Amino acid sequence: MKNVVTSMDYERLLCATGPYEGEILRASDRKHPHKIAWIQCVGSRRVTPGDNSYCSAVCCTYTQKQVILTKDHDAEAQCTIFHNDIRSYGKDFERFYQRAEILPGIRFIRSYVSIGREIPETKNVTIRYATTGDGVKEEEFELVILSVGLNPPADVKGVAKKFGIELDPHGFCKTNPVNPMETSRPGIFVSGAFQGPADIPESVFSASGASSLCGEFLDYRRGKLTKERVYPQERDVSKEEPRIGVFVCHCGANIGRVVSVPSTVEYALTLPNVVYAQEQLFSCATNSAKEITDMIKEKGLNRVVVAACSPRTLEPLFRDTLREAGINQYFFDMANIREHCSWVHSKEKEDATQKAKDITRLSVARACHLEPLQEIDLPVNKMALVVGGGIAGMTCALSIANQGHEVHLVEKDKDLGGKARRIHYTLEGLDVQAYLRDLVRKVYQHPLIHVYTDAIITEATGYVGNFVTKVKSERGVTEIKHGAAVIAVGADEYKPTEYFYGKDDRVLTLLELEEKIAKGEEKLIHAQSLVMIQCVGCRQEDRNYCSRVCCSQAVKNALKLKEINPRMDIYILYRDMMTYGFSEDYYREASNKEVKFIRYEPQDKPQVEAVKEEGRSVLRVTVTDPILGQNLAIGTDFLALAAAIIPPVGNREISQLFKISLGPDEFFKEAHVKLRPVDFATDGVFLCGIAHYPKHIPEAINQAYAAAGRALTLLSHDIVTVSGSVCEVIENDCVSCGACITACTYGAIEFRETAQGRKAWVNPVICKGDGLCNAVCPTGAVYLKHFTDEDLLSQIDAAVGDG
């Protein structure tokens, strides 16, 4: 069937460099499909021997992404997603799912399906699926997409044999349960999806983490094999007439299929001060970057404009081409003709080409007024501060210390361990308390780690490479000077206000249940029945996120109780089972051991009342079974609530102290979800553990090593360079109103006494160049270098012309 494709095939169809240059066309007749279906869990969550029993973890969300992109291509498209569970367990995944769900013409149908037949006349494909009310239905679609899962590499056995490492039963790399980057062979580490199915952020965590583990092995060689990059001497071109070179990028077909690049190049040559222009297939390619450097030298260019993509990722690369040619890197400007043009005007090619010319004209106008700036080199204090003494914080501290740097580990409680002190075992069978005791012992015995317990941070000042933090603890008040900081403050358990929690001692949270199981509490382990209710306090309006770990924790506790008391009746009431990855095997094991899973809808939550049945005092849980279409009443001896993981109340104070951001759910917000998932926007401050978002212990360890690896990229250098594009105050124009100080979110501005009285002063090291102070200053006393009024007004003039 030509009109049944895999999700990877469809990804290529959506791509501008794909077979139809980004147009969604059917292979059978090159027509645009308007009625499209996705089938989830293809090749994953299989029950037949030899097939993949695990969940591939990424398919639910990448399908939602494809649905959103499809609607961007064709607003009238009718999209249907046939699914089992919707596993929106990642950070912001729940919102992403809701974003897809509310689009017009979108249906999410929970059903197992089969592909029926291909209709010869139209080549459309039918799908048979079950409904709760109308039985089995058969529906016709113009295109069907199979959301395929992840397999181990094809030559995985050969790779394992070459490197002498073991594989797990699924064919992925066998890893250490307390360090998922360690293989069975010392000195060989693993990252990315070879650990097991993983999304991009988790892959980046493990990549940075693996680099930190390599650093622990090779620290004695650090810096001994590196060579300092030498740039040619910078020539002063500030007094020269502007000679601008314009390089217009095709970006494969991302720009070139929409914008007429040759026409844009011809237009650029007509602009004032442009002496050279050319097109490039990929300006960011190594050969293209060298070409820019060569043209600067050959043509005597002293300004460069690259018309391509967003400067967010590639601007440093293009600035470097100027440095290689002996020109100050701030004589560069980037015209964004991809995100601001071709991507948003893909169906308006003529207008998009005209807009690309306009954007290029504005960049050329600005380039004429650019001035040389110098970046600031700062010495780096080699010590690190880790805030939070849970598993993530201790792991991060040990990794940094094992690479020769002193670490100050600050914990608000009297004991190290964080929430792990309440966890006793994992799904995989790890003895968490034994592991925790060993980790705490290593921390206290390490000569480079200084531990502060029962501690409060009272003040945090400074900037990248040179922070000063004051800590009040049992030692008194200590002033800690450090070059980097890692935030690993953990999270809290939601204390439910529903289901009689706090009013009836038979109602517990999952953590309380686990503690009672670990203690062998007779009344619990010999109970006749237990009900667990998932998603208590999350996936709702006030906490619009999934707490990620709760479903696996419920399965874990159910299996442990079944091991102790096989006759106990256990029910798990859930919305979607988030047993992603290899946890799926344990979900199936629990089901096979007669743990009963009953799904409920969020608008029809379970109801609980205390009653007597046959003379026995029980909690009666009433839930609607969507398959039976009936209310079920379950009498239970104990009720366990999967209480949400919530950010601690101190997060806002920590965010203000270290000038770091919080997300919409009050967890800490990383600089970039994929490119910089353990960095903050504030340089020198990093993030790990459940302070970032709820996660399992192995995932927290992954991220802890990642944060250590990122911190070492700073601490291993003697100097750090900060941007020259910062704000400055013209003292004569400053009226000391303080508006700029209030506006600055980084604390970079303060009053200083001068010969003219008290005036605002910007610390260029702390300043991030966001321009907020510039915007609020009533007298225009603050200006932002590289974005001066002259720069911006020249662009406005170029935009409006003589009119």
Side-chain angles (χ1 to χ4, degrees):
M1 295 183 185
K2 284 189 175 181
N3 294 327
V4 178
V5 300
T6 70
S7 48
M8 293 301 290
D9 294 332
Y10 193 68
E11 197 82 18
R12 290 296 300 148
L13 289 179
L14 289 167
C15 184
T17 56
Y20 309 125
E21 297 186 334
E23 286 194 72
I24 302 172
L25 301 176
R26 303 200 313 173
S28 64
D29 52 17
R30 302 294 194 272
K31 290 183 178 178
H32 288 278
H34 296 289
K35 190 174 182 183
I36 306 174
W38 280 259
I39 300 175
Q40 297 288 91
C41 301
V42 176
S44 303
R45 303 184 71 183
R46 305 282 290 176
V47 296
T48 46
D51 286 337
N52 297 337
S53 61
Y54 54 84
C55 165
S56 288
V58 301
C59 317
C60 287
T61 302
Y62 80 55
T63 294
Q64 293 155 25
K65 177 199 75 173
Q66 290 183 346
V67 167
I68 292 170
L69 291 176
T70 300
K71 294 293 286 186
D72 286 343
H73 280 70
D74 179 5
E76 302 302 317
Q78 301 294 309
C79 301
T80 303
I81 302 91
F82 294 102
H83 64 93
N84 186 357
D85 298 292
I86 292 292
R87 293 191 163 165
S88 53
Y89 60 87
K91 190 171 187 178
D92 291 327
F93 280 16
E94 184 74 9
R95 286 187 178 87
F96 195 71
Y97 162 50
Q98 292 164 358
R99 176 182 163 191
E101 187 182 32
I102 63 173
L103 290 172
I106 304 298
R107 292 183 298 165
F108 281 84
I109 297 177
R110 191 185 298 264
S111 176
Y112 289 107
V113 305
S114 63
I115 290 180
R117 58 196 173 89
E118 182 181 74
I119 298 171
E121 297 79 14
T122 62
K123 301 299 181 183
N124 291 349
V125 178
T126 66
I127 291 178
R128 290 169 57 84
Y129 61 96
T131 65
T132 54
D134 300 327
V136 176
K137 296 179 72 174
E138 187 168 15
E139 189 170 346
E140 185 178 331
F141 294 92
E142 296 170 38
L143 183 65
V144 174
I145 299 150
L146 308 179
S147 296
V148 294
L150 304 180
N151 286 332
D155 187 31
V156 66
K157 291 183 179 178
V159 171
K161 186 176 180 181
K162 284 176 186 175
F163 288 95
I165 59 175
E166 297 178 32
L167 302 175
D168 69 15
H170 295 293
F172 292 90
C173 186
K174 183 179 181 182
T175 60
N176 182 346
V178 298
N179 188 335
M181 287 153 298
E182 286 186 352
T183 67
S184 56
R185 185 178 178 186
I188 295 182
F189 305 101
V190 61
S191 67
F194 193 33
Q195 288 181 337
D199 209 340
I200 293 172
E202 284 75 22
S203 298
V204 177
F205 296 159
S206 58
S208 292
S211 74
S212 189
L213 286 164
C214 291
E216 292 184 29
F217 268 77
L218 302 175
D219 181 59
Y220 71 100
R221 299 290 286 167
R222 192 186 301 276
K224 295 182 180 178
L225 299 175
T226 58
K227 292 182 180 178
E228 185 178 354
R229 189 174 182 183
V230 179
Y231 291 95
Q233 184 174 355
E234 187 177 295
R235 64 188 180 93
D236 183 7
V237 300
S238 58
K239 302 292 191 295
E240 298 178 3
E241 282 293 314
R243 291 179 57 82
I244 302 172
V246 178
F247 299 83
V248 185
C249 180
H250 283 261
C251 196
N254 279 290
I255 295 171
R257 74 179 176 85
V258 178
V259 171
S260 173
V261 172
S263 173
T264 306
V265 170
E266 289 178 18
Y267 175 75
L269 285 168
T270 68
L271 296 172
N273 300 302
V274 174
V275 298
Y276 180 76
Q278 74 166 78
E279 58 187 279
Q280 294 179 311
L281 183 60
F282 287 102
S283 295
C284 57
T286 303
N287 63 315
S288 297
K290 185 178 185 304
E291 189 175 40
I292 294 173
T293 298
D294 292 342
M295 287 300 107
I296 293 172
K297 295 175 181 177
E298 182 181 324
K299 305 294 182 182
L301 307 178
N302 55 27
R303 307 283 194 284
V304 171
V305 170
V306 173
C309 56
S310 162
R312 183 172 185 182
T313 304
L314 293 175
E315 186 176 49
L317 168 70
F318 294 126
R319 283 184 174 179
D320 199 62
T321 64
L322 274 70
R323 294 187 69 187
E324 288 284 1
I327 303 293
N328 187 281
Q329 62 180 309
Y330 287 93
F331 283 125
F332 171 79
D333 195 57
M334 204 159 176
N336 186 350
I337 62 171
R338 189 180 73 177
E339 285 87 342
H340 290 178
C341 188
S342 66
W343 278 5
V344 290
H345 303 295
S346 59
K347 297 175 184 176
E348 306 158 289
K349 296 186 178 182
E350 289 186 11
D351 289 342
T353 298
Q354 183 57 51
K355 183 175 178 180
K357 293 176 181 178
D358 293 342
I359 293 172
T360 304
R361 182 175 71 251
L362 268 59
S363 273
V364 168
R366 178 170 181 259
C368 293
H369 299 281
L370 295 177
E371 297 177 350
L373 299 175
Q374 298 303 319
E375 295 190 328
I376 306 167
D377 288 340
L378 303 169
V380 175
N381 184 305
K382 299 292 187 174
M383 288 191 284
L385 174 76
V386 177
V387 184
I391 284 181
M394 288 190 288
T395 300
C396 182
L398 279 167
S399 186
I400 295 171
N402 286 340
Q403 295 176 69
H405 295 269
E406 283 191 61
V407 181
H408 296 268
L409 179 61
V410 178
E411 168 56 43
K412 68 179 184 297
D413 292 338
K414 292 184 178 180
D415 298 302
L416 297 177
K419 287 295 174 287
R421 295 200 304 268
R422 301 182 63 190
I423 301 173
H424 297 268
Y425 43 85
T426 65
L427 264 175
E428 298 78 17
L430 172 69
D431 184 338
V432 176
Q433 293 307 302
Y435 167 68
L436 191 60
R437 286 192 295 271
D438 184 58
L439 192 63
V440 172
R441 178 185 58 78
K442 287 178 181 177
V443 166
Y444 276 112
Q445 290 182 351
H446 203 294
L448 294 180
I449 298 179
H450 312 283
V451 179
Y452 306 78
T453 54
D454 202 10
I456 299 172
I457 294 175
T458 58
E459 185 180 348
T461 58
Y463 43 85
V464 58
N466 294 271
F467 295 102
V468 180
T469 301
K470 289 183 179 178
V471 176
K472 183 179 179 182
S473 67
E474 75 283 353
R475 300 183 180 193
V477 176
T478 308
E479 184 178 271
I480 302 169
K481 295 181 179 180
H482 54 100
V486 179
I487 306 301
V489 295
D492 289 335
E493 180 189 41
Y494 167 64
K495 295 302 178 187
T497 57
E498 51 268 78
Y499 299 123
F500 294 106
Y501 181 82
K503 299 174 183 176
D504 191 314
D505 59 10
R506 295 170 295 178
V507 182
L508 316 165
T509 66
L510 285 183
L511 276 178
E512 292 165 350
L513 174 68
E514 183 168 339
E515 288 173 319
K516 287 182 180 294
I517 295 170
K519 291 175 183 176
E521 188 171 295
E522 293 287 328
K523 193 174 180 182
L524 172 67
I525 62 177
H526 294 303
Q528 293 182 32
S529 59
L530 168 73
V531 172
M532 303 183 199
I533 301 178
Q534 302 302 105
C535 300
V536 176
C538 62
R539 298 188 75 192
Q540 59 192 39
E541 189 173 349
D542 58 338
R543 289 186 202 88
N544 195 14
Y545 61 89
C546 165
S547 288
R548 190 181 182 110
V549 303
C550 313
C551 289
S552 294
Q553 297 304 302
V555 169
K556 174 188 77 173
N557 287 326
L559 286 171
K560 181 64 74 172
L561 284 169
K562 279 290 188 180
E563 180 185 320
I564 297 168
N565 180 5
R567 299 179 64 183
M568 184 185 293
D569 291 324
I570 301 177
Y571 302 83
I572 297 179
L573 313 184
Y574 70 98
R575 286 176 54 185
D576 295 280
M577 285 301 293
M578 304 289 183
T579 46
Y580 59 93
F582 300 145
S583 298
E584 181 72 13
D585 292 337
Y586 298 99
Y587 174 27
R588 185 169 291 108
E589 181 186 347
S591 182
N592 291 338
K593 290 184 175 178
E594 296 188 351
V595 175
K596 299 171 183 65
F597 293 86
I598 302 171
R599 187 171 60 83
Y600 71 89
E601 296 291 344
Q603 66 272 18
D604 187 14
K605 293 182 179 180
Q607 302 297 315
V608 178
E609 57 183 333
V611 298
K612 285 202 171 186
E613 289 183 357
E614 299 177 356
R616 186 166 67 101
S617 179
V618 297
L619 295 166
R620 180 184 291 161
V621 182
T622 305
V623 62
T624 302
D625 188 314
I627 296 174
L628 298 176
Q630 296 179 348
N631 283 345
L632 302 180
I634 306 166
T636 183
D637 297 315
F638 285 91
L639 176 63
L641 307 178
I645 295 175
I646 60 174
V649 291
N651 272 12
R652 187 153 294 281
E653 184 179 357
I654 291 289
S655 75
Q656 292 167 352
L657 284 167
F658 289 94
K659 312 297 186 296
I660 51 182
S661 299
L662 296 174
D665 302 311
E666 299 285 297
F667 290 102
F668 287 101
K669 185 178 181 181
E670 63 276 60
H672 190 285
V673 66
K674 291 182 174 70
L675 302 178
R676 299 173 65 198
V678 296
D679 293 56
F680 283 106
T682 300
D683 293 334
V685 188
F686 306 95
L687 170 68
C688 66
I690 56 176
H692 166 255
Y693 189 71
K695 50 182 62 71
H696 293 285
I697 288 174
E699 295 168 333
I701 293 169
N702 252 352
Q703 198 180 13
Y705 278 109
R710 294 293 299 137
L712 261 296
T713 61
L714 168 62
L715 299 176
S716 60
H717 291 87
D718 294 324
I719 61 169
V720 62
T721 302
V722 296
S723 173
S725 178
V726 294
C727 291
E728 198 165 279
V729 177
I730 303 169
E731 287 187 1
N732 288 341
D733 295 340
C734 177
V735 294
S736 306
C737 66
C740 56
I741 295 175
T742 304
C744 182
T745 56
Y746 297 97
I749 310 176
E750 60 186 65
F751 282 127
R752 284 197 170 181
E753 291 298 329
T754 71
Q756 298 174 312
R758 193 176 69 157
K759 300 291 182 180
W761 174 80
V762 179
N763 185 333
V765 177
I766 302 176
C767 178
K768 296 299 174 189
D770 60 13
L772 287 177
C773 55
N774 187 195
V776 301
C777 180
T779 63
V782 187
Y783 70 98
L784 174 56
K785 297 178 182 179
H786 201 57
F787 295 92
T788 64
D789 288 352
E790 189 177 26
D791 294 343
L792 302 181
L793 288 171
S794 69
Q795 290 186 292
I796 294 171
D797 289 342
V800 300
D802 294 336

